[in-house]
């Protein structure tokens, strides 16, 4: 397989698919719509998990694990949630295979092993979790209940794309229970904020925090907070959501608590999640025509050292220098790899590390040995410099910090220059088609107008930004009065 | 619910189930045979995962993720494996629900959304993984391929017990590919050894390393290595297995590589796994009639501090002392919690921490404040001592190390005193019924004898120990000649 990628301008979508596969992040599997996350892609996901898990625990949450399956009768208990997910559920109907009497060596479903009640493979876990919480919550002393789960979920999407939309994906889902509405609302906002901080500071992706319109809300939620990012092709990507569920699930599953006065009340709920979709956001924000570009905080290897040598003596001398660099950088908690494979030439190694987005590449050759220097190449801007071994550790630290900051700044500049205020529908369509990005426009607040705009342009309201100034205006489509702008975009 | 447990002598099985639920480790769910792992139980599992994951990475393995579903045609490709798991497979047959026309507000499976090919929920992932490896392996340069996956799997067991045997469970499964038989055999033994070290040093559970007889082998394996532990009721528990798969999966999925001479050959394979079943082993090895007993290396909180006070002044003074202890012990990487809940009395806190197996409890009251002391209680042997604040950090370190070592020693003494050599079948039955534990006996090496002994006594051959002296003898059942003893036991 050629290592060269289709360029972004040539075919953005093809560039993305090729990059995911060639950089060894993921690939399609034999199961329709399900992906295999390859070791290099999984190592990046593990870094995301570790950081998020730390943040969840710092904010008082504990992990737990709930069943993969949801009995149909529980699944249908919260009607809006059930309606929202029913059309994309994988359903287990049997619990045994048997030899196929018509086809020797083949198996078939045993018709006698039909389940009395079908089991839905969880598309999200509110139902099974709230059915469990009924047994865990009796009094205000049991609240708040702050739980997170790392799990796989299945949504039978018809059109799938690696990381962005897959039938099975990995995620975390927080599910919390509270004594008051105010506390639950605070939790939903807090976790949206945790997501925003993580995505901005760790993934170097700027996001807009906002709330969803009614039609874009999570099925079963009273309010959905979200973080929205902008990809390089001008399309938005929802990077995380945090839902205020009101008392909807508590009522559907009859979860009540005795308050301090001894009065019974239904509890208030939130749920919130991010998924392997973040991998898609990461790729599409920073990468270029040469391949993946990784912020140092997510790179499995922040630095790679490639030896350039002809003789064994040279290799031995380079190895000594490399080992000393590795020791120094590991002491600074940096991840570094010595790529001394004898099966590949330096050029092939350079190409691979470029394709896989290793932030810094250090090359050491015989001349460097003589001069006491190394060559450092930055992956983000493809610049090189020669550095004295004496300055190396400090310079690597500086460069890694600079790469992390530069990637964020570059993405922020792109994003900020792609939020366009428009005042009429012609401009709306024009900007959407020719410039892309977020369109900041007045909207009359009705589902009808939102639907009509979507139908005409494929743009949806990504969110009503949390930090929004009040501003009198008229709806970009109907001309009806409006008090604030919302963000429209085409979206992944 | 009463906090008092049924005693082990009264009803061991009831004691176990009560302990799991009352210590907040896990509970049964609304889904038949599936458990909810509660936060306290999950925190222990996370500690196991972290340590195992470190050991896997230290031995060169990388994590990845493969699909939850296995298309039936792939599932049946390796015949022995398929036959072994076919009878306990959850099968997805449909991908959509719809409103039930006969029952308003209810859903039913949409008969039009039948899958062309049924999907098996993975009971183990050899099939889907080896089908993927075909694309990853072309040459000897691609080998060895050393991959691990943390995942949920489903086996439709008819009789289930929390942690020990559940329809869904969490586990890790390693899947490796090698150029030679010898290398694959070494890998299978290495990982069995990694498991043994982890279970002995970290979980404080002694194990026997051995190989399974043909009839107890993993379906599809040429050899199964295992670690076998002994529970307090004299029954054995298989704590982990590591399989040499020969070329069986490589042949079933046509995975070949070009060796250094350019010749094509099928690759050699291993797979190995441990699961949340280890939680059951942990509980049944160390716990007592007062509840859970945890080795310090697995305790979510190694130390808990309980303040005993009447006035706010006392609480303030105790809090100051507690904070200083916490700072000192966290500096030693110890996990410690200050249980200053105002909703519970000290007695209730003592009972809870005892039930949940916190290794050390520090109580601080007004007298301690006056004397510059605290009271430390050990969970394992229920002894108490008064310690000066000046000596506290060192004493806590000593005690935690002593608890870890004592638990292992106690379990080892029990295990070693419950390996009984027997020479005839009357003694065999007598020891099995009245003493329990492992029976070390000669066996003629045939499946028939093994089956017959199982039928008559419910004892199975747990393993042929790796460290086994050659010894001439006669089979305990048939009297036929034998060259070594094997270990029999009733097992979980
Ligand atoms: Zn109710
Ligand atoms: Zn073949």
């Amino acid at each position: 397989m050629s290592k060269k990628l289709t360029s972004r301008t040539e075919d953005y979508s093809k560039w993305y698919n090729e990059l995911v596969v060639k950089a060894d992040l993921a690939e399609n599997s034999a199961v329709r719509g399900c992906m295999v996350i390859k070791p290099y892609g999984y190592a990046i996901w593990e870094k995301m998990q570790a950081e998020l898990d730390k943040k969840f625990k710092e904010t008082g949450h504990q992990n737990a694990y709930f069943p993969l399956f949801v009995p149909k009768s529980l699944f249908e208990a919260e009607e809006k949630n059930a309606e929202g997910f029913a059309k994309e559920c994988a359903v287990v109907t049997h619990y045994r295979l048997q030899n196929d009497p018509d086809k020797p060596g083949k198996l078939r479903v045993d018709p006698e092993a039909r389940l009395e009640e079908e089991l839905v493979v969880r598309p999200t876990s509110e139902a099974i979790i709230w059915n469990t919480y009924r047994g865990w919550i009796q009094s205000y002393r049991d609240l708040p209940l702050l739980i997170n789960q790392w799990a796989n979920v299945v949504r039978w999407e018809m059109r799938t794309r690696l990381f962005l939309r897959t039938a099975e994906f990995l995620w975390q889902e927080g599910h919390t229970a509270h004594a008051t509405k105010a506390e639950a609302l605070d939790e939903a906002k807090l976790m949206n904020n945790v997501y925003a901080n993580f995505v901005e500071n760790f993934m170097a992706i700027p996001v807009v925090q906002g709330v969803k319109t009614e039609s874009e809300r999570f099925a079963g939620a009273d309010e959905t907070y979200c973080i929205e990012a902008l990809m390089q092709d001008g399309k938005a990507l929802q990077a995380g959501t945090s839902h205020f569920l009101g008392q909807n699930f508590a009522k559907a599953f009859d979860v009540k608590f005795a308050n301090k006065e001894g009065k019974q009340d239904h509890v208030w709920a939130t749920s919130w999640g991010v998924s392997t979709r973040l991998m898609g956001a990461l790729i599409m924000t920073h990468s270029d025509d040469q391949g993946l570009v990784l912020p140092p905080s997510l790179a499995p290897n922040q630095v790679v050292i490639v030896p350039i040598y002809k003789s064994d003596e040279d290799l031995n001398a380079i190895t000594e220098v490399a080992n000393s660099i590795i020791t120094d950088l590991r002491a600074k908690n940096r991840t570094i790899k010595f790529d001394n494979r004898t099966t590949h030439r330096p050029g092939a190694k350079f190409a691979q590390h470029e394709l896989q987005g290793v932030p810094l590449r250090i090359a050491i050759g015989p001349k460097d040995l003589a001069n006491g220097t190394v060559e450092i190449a930055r992956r983000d801007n493809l610049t090189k410099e020669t550095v004295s071994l004496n300055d190396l550790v400090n310079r690597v630290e500086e460069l890694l910090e600079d790469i992390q900051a530069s990637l964020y700044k570059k993405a922020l500049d792109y994003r900020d220059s792609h939020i366009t205020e428009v005042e009429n529908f012609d401009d709306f369509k024009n900007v959407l088609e020719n410039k892309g990005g977020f369109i900041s426009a007045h909207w009359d607040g009705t589902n009808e107008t939102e639907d009509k705009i979507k139908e005409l342009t494929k743009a949806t309201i990504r969110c009503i930004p949390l930090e929004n100034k009040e501003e009198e205006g008229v709806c970009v489509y109907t001309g009806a009065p409006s008090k604030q702008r919302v963000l429209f975009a085409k979206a992944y």
Side-chain angles (χ1 to χ4, degrees), chain A:
Chain A
M1 186 166 64
S2 152
K3 290 285 180 193
K4 189 123 174 63
L5 294 175
T6 297
S7 74
R8 286 165 293 172
T9 48
E10 199 181 329
D11 187 337
Y12 190 84
S13 166
K14 199 169 167 205
W15 164 82
Y16 174 82
N17 292 335
E18 285 182 7
L19 193 160
V20 170
V21 172
K22 292 187 180 182
D24 271 342
L25 301 173
E27 65 182 37
N28 286 307
S29 77
V31 189
R32 205 203 63 82
C34 292
M35 66 182 157
V36 173
I37 306 179
K38 299 180 78 171
Y40 192 66
Y42 200 84
I44 299 170
W45 174 242
E46 278 182 321
K47 291 207 162 255
M48 293 189 194
Q49 284 188 300
E51 180 67 16
L52 284 165
D53 199 69
K54 202 176 93 192
K55 284 172 182 280
F56 298 157
K57 283 172 178 158
E58 281 168 4
T59 46
H61 303 86
Q62 295 179 290
N63 288 329
Y65 188 76
F66 297 86
L68 170 67
F69 300 130
V70 187
K72 189 168 68 66
S73 59
L74 292 184
F75 181 79
E76 67 199 4
E78 208 293 321
E79 275 189 54
K80 279 192 186 161
N81 189 249
E83 195 186 306
F85 288 101
K87 287 187 205 72
E88 51 189 41
C89 283
V91 187
V92 174
T93 56
H94 291 75
Y95 58 86
R96 196 161 62 218
L97 296 172
Q98 61 177 194
N99 291 320
D100 189 333
D102 302 326
K103 297 176 193 157
K106 303 288 176 184
L107 298 169
R108 67 167 195 190
V109 171
D110 181 346
E112 313 244 302
R114 190 180 179 87
L115 289 169
E116 279 182 46
E117 180 178 9
E118 293 90 348
L119 298 173
V120 174
V121 181
R122 63 183 165 214
T124 181
S125 300
E126 278 78 5
I128 190 77
I129 287 180
W130 278 89
N131 186 61
T132 307
Y133 280 2
R134 189 175 51 248
W136 293 5
I137 298 170
Q138 277 87 42
S139 116
Y140 69 93
R141 285 187 201 83
D142 303 319
L143 298 173
L145 187 57
L146 304 173
I147 290 184
N148 176 62
Q149 161 170 281
W150 290 96
N152 53 346
V153 286
V154 173
R155 296 177 187 175
W156 209 262
E157 304 279 359
M158 281 303 153
R159 286 192 202 167
T160 61
R161 289 191 68 190
L162 292 166
F163 290 125
L164 295 170
R165 194 174 292 277
T166 48
E168 181 191 16
F169 57 89
L170 302 183
W171 79 343
Q172 61 66 221
E173 47 182 324
H175 295 273
T176 71
H178 306 266
T180 66
K181 175 177 178 176
E183 200 185 297
L185 269 167
D186 283 348
E187 166 81 5
K189 289 177 207 166
L190 171 71
M191 297 321 290
N192 202 56
N193 207 40
V194 163
Y195 289 155
N197 286 333
F198 166 74
V199 173
E200 297 202 326
N201 300 329
F202 211 74
M203 301 181 65
I205 302 175
V207 294
V208 177
Q209 288 201 54
V211 291
K212 290 287 185 190
T213 59
E214 194 192 343
S215 67
E216 296 278 334
R217 244 177 238 154
F218 177 74
D222 283 357
E223 193 84 273
T224 288
Y225 296 88
C226 63
I227 53 172
E228 296 285 328
L230 191 64
M231 304 297 98
Q232 293 176 19
D233 63 344
K235 285 171 78 175
L237 185 145
Q238 175 182 299
T241 49
S242 181
H243 316 294
F244 167 66
L245 303 173
Q247 295 175 311
N248 301 333
F249 286 91
K251 285 180 179 168
F253 292 94
D254 201 26
V255 184
K256 288 180 188 169
F257 74 105
N259 66 19
K260 283 185 186 170
E261 291 75 44
K263 246 188 76 183
Q264 293 280 311
D265 194 7
H266 287 108
V267 305
W268 298 83
T270 81
S271 67
W272 28 275
V274 296
S275 74
T276 37
R277 189 160 214 246
L278 286 178
M279 292 288 293
L282 180 74
I283 296 160
M284 288 201 293
T285 300
H286 302 304
S287 302
D288 61 24
D289 291 349
Q290 278 69 48
L292 191 63
V293 174
L294 287 175
S297 52
L298 282 178
N301 292 303
Q302 297 172 317
V303 182
V304 65
I305 302 177
V306 178
I308 297 164
Y309 60 96
K310 289 196 179 131
S311 68
D312 279 358
E313 288 76 33
D314 281 353
L315 178 59
N316 291 339
I318 293 170
T319 302
E320 209 171 293
V321 173
N323 285 339
S324 147
I325 297 171
I326 289 169
T327 305
D328 291 348
L329 284 173
R330 288 205 177 135
K332 301 260 179 192
N333 282 317
R334 295 304 184 176
T335 52
I336 177 161
K337 182 178 161 174
F338 184 36
D339 186 356
N340 58 358
R341 287 175 295 170
T342 54
T343 45
H344 294 70
R345 290 159 167 276
K349 293 178 184 177
F350 284 16
Q352 182 189 343
H353 299 309
E354 190 170 275
L355 185 59
Q356 294 196 306
V358 180
L360 288 179
R361 180 188 76 216
I362 296 176
I364 313 179
K367 269 190 199 162
D368 293 303
L369 283 178
N371 300 334
T373 58
V374 303
E375 185 196 74
I376 306 188
R378 276 175 77 142
R379 173 63 185 90
D380 65 330
N381 60 17
L382 301 170
T383 58
K384 292 179 195 171
E385 62 186 75
T386 300
V387 179
S388 153
L389 279 171
N390 298 325
D391 302 331
L392 183 60
V393 172
N394 287 336
R395 188 61 187 146
V396 165
E397 288 291 299
E398 274 174 13
L399 287 172
L400 290 174
E401 281 164 33
D402 191 53
I403 294 170
Q404 184 82 26
S406 301
L407 288 176
Y408 182 74
K409 170 99 180 31
K410 192 178 163 196
L412 184 65
D413 287 346
Y414 175 81
R415 198 275 309 271
D416 284 349
S417 66
H418 286 80
I419 301 180
T420 311
E421 293 198 353
V422 309
E423 310 303 334
N424 62 65
F425 201 56
D426 280 342
D427 286 352
F428 186 105
K429 288 183 287 187
N430 188 27
V431 169
L432 194 68
E433 284 320 300
N434 299 309
K435 180 180 176 187
F438 289 117
I439 294 178
S440 176
H442 280 280
W443 161 62
D444 66 14
T446 67
N447 289 343
E448 292 70 33
T449 301
E450 195 180 358
D451 287 350
K452 193 71 194 173
I453 292 175
K454 184 177 178 182
E455 191 190 312
L456 292 169
T457 68
K458 291 184 181 153
T460 49
I461 299 178
R462 301 318 304 152
C463 70
I464 305 162
L466 291 187
E467 290 186 5
N468 223 10
K469 60 178 190 285
E470 293 225 349
E471 184 193 282
E472 298 287 331
V474 296
C475 175
V476 76
Y477 184 69
T478 61
S482 150
K483 291 221 185 285
Q484 61 177 356
R485 291 174 183 271
V486 298
L487 289 184
F488 288 88
K490 291 190 193 173
Y492 279 95

